[in-house]
Amino acid sequence: ISFNCVDSALSSLKHCQSYINTGMDVATHVALDLVESFNDVEDVNSMEKVMVEYAAMDRELNHYMRAIEETVNQIKREKPENVPDLKYLVKEKFTALESKNSDSDLEKNEKYMYFKDQLKEMRKQCKFCHQSDDEAIEQIDEDIAVTQSQMNFICPITQMEMKRPVRNKVCGHSYEEEAILKIIQTRKQQKKEVRCPKIGCSHANVKGSDLVPDEALKRAIDSQKKQ
């Protein structure tokens, strides 16, 4: 049995998945724009609903591709004399996978988790911008808090303001992308693990795969420069 057509179909489906990923990236940027522009919570929540819908699409697509791959592998193992009903077998496996769906699946989607994390950080960075004049006057420690916020703009490796900050998904600390990747590469050649450069952090195995662009922090730095 030739599976060339099936392989071609799987390739197309994986290409569709890249469109979903792009859509989730766009939704994340729009949500951060909304927070930065002081739009109300309802607008931001609508973007979160979009992200959940994308996550559901991604899960459904993953299940369908998995159903196809498992069916093909099963046929290759069993080598039946007659060509089986491939469409029926795939549907059966797909339905079984979909029956186990839960909301927690969507919350574990990597891009949705990134969306939530960056939204939280963006709101934190814009906290003082959202305050009214009266609230600002009442906040005695505002100058201290702003100074502390600006300290977060400094890379713990280069001790300079970050230009392309990346965030460690494990410990939550951020570093200049080029600086941390250089350390990881050097330690890899020495066959050593990389401890988080942030003073006081106990995370002792920083990996390149754990680093994601810290869009919220970059926006805060850029905003500070404009001011």
Side-chain angles (χ1 to χ4, degrees), residues 16-48:
C16 288
Q17 199 165 35
S18 70
Y19 292 134
I20 293 176
N21 289 334
T22 300
M24 294 182 90
D25 289 339
V26 171
T28 299
H29 283 288
V30 170
L32 294 178
D33 285 341
L34 289 171
V35 173
E36 197 171 21
S37 306
F38 319 133
N39 281 52
D40 61 33
V41 177
E42 188 176 338
D43 290 331
V44 178
N45 287 345
S46 68
M47 295 315 302
E48 184 168 355

Side-chain angles (χ1 to χ4, degrees), residues 75-106:
I75 294 172
K76 285 180 178 178
R77 284 195 309 271
E78 297 174 356
K79 298 178 181 178
E81 292 183 9
N82 299 318
V83 179
D85 188 339
L86 189 63
K87 185 177 180 180
Y88 173 78
L89 292 175
V90 168
K91 186 177 180 180
E92 194 175 43
K93 287 185 181 294
F94 173 71
T95 302
L97 290 169
E98 286 284 288
S99 67
K100 298 176 183 177
N101 287 348
S102 68
D103 292 341
S104 61
D105 296 337
L106 305 180

